[in-house]
Amino acid sequence: MVPFASDDSLKLLFAGPVGAGKTTAIRAIADTPPISTDVPWSDADGGGKTTTTVAFDYCSIRLDDEETLHLYGLPGQDQFDFMSTVIGPGAIGVILLLDGSSPAVADEGSHQIRRLGKLFPGLLVVIGVTRTEHSPHFSFGELHRAVVGSGGATPPIFTIDPRNRSEVIQLVRALLMLVS
């Protein structure tokens, strides 16, 4: 099977910086083993992450007996941005994951919203913030102000654990509600 959804399929993207939890979230909700292009990461900073996605992650989930949702995780490193233009067309929306333990999460959120707006004008976005339990200084208000200041509509923002299937599904449901 070639992992590119046809024009009549539903396609959803997971985007965000390296280490935000995109691959983990996709693995958490996959109905079948996901396709992954993770390779050893030579630039790892010792924070526990040893691999990085170089092309995309892919899986599908059944919404009902007739409809399948195809999920694609975009790479977080800038040198692989070209994959966004290959995989992105036809997507119904983007789940943007951000690492809440990063001191620069608000700046990263603003940067990612602007980047996604240039790549996919008008595409709906839902934000999931991971690892907030590791950051007593995480501020919804600061992130919200940064995202609003980036232009466009203000997406819903949730805190999630990307390993938790029900929390990731909640992000998908929130995005699907925006579409309908």
Side-chain angles (χ1 to χ4, degrees):
M1 176 179 113
V2 177
F4 289 95
S6 65
D7 290 337
D8 59 348
S9 298
L10 294 176
K11 182 194 303 188
L12 185 120
L13 307 174
F14 279 74
V18 173
K22 301 175 298 289
T23 298
T24 301
I26 286 174
R27 286 182 182 150
I29 62 173
D31 284 343
T32 59
I35 295 171
S36 181
T37 60
D38 274 7
V39 298
W41 188 21
S42 59
D43 292 341
D45 62 5
K49 183 166 174 63
T50 59
T51 62
T52 189
T53 302
V54 296
F56 61 89
D57 293 314
Y58 167 80
C59 78
S60 62
I61 56 175
R62 297 291 295 168
L63 297 177
D64 56 34
D65 289 339
E66 298 177 17
E67 229 165 355
T68 299
L69 180 62
H70 299 272
L71 306 174
Y72 294 85
L74 303 175
Q77 295 186 58
D78 291 343
Q79 70 251 37
F80 301 120
D81 268 357
F82 69 92
M83 288 305 298
S84 297
T85 60
V86 173
I87 295 170
I92 61 169
V94 179
I95 292 177
L96 172 59
L97 294 181
L98 299 170
D99 180 353
S101 69
S102 168
V105 67
D107 291 336
E108 186 63 46
S110 176
H111 167 73
Q112 292 290 332
I113 289 293
R114 283 192 311 275
R115 182 176 150 262
L116 291 169
K118 289 177 186 171
L119 287 169
F120 312 113
L123 200 60
L124 298 170
V125 177
V126 170
I127 298 175
V129 186
T130 63
R131 297 184 189 90
T132 56
E133 72 278 9
H134 299 294
S135 179
H137 304 292
F138 171 73
S139 165
F140 262 111
E142 184 179 348
L143 178 58
H144 181 264
R145 284 187 297 279
V147 169
V148 168
S150 300
T154 304
I157 302 171
F158 300 86
T159 59
I160 68 147
D161 179 342
R163 301 166 296 183
N164 185 306
R165 178 179 173 84
S166 62
E167 291 182 21
V168 178
I169 293 270
Q170 194 64 25
L171 284 177
V172 171
R173 285 182 180 145
L175 189 79
L176 291 174
M177 293 298 294
L178 292 175
V179 172
S180 49

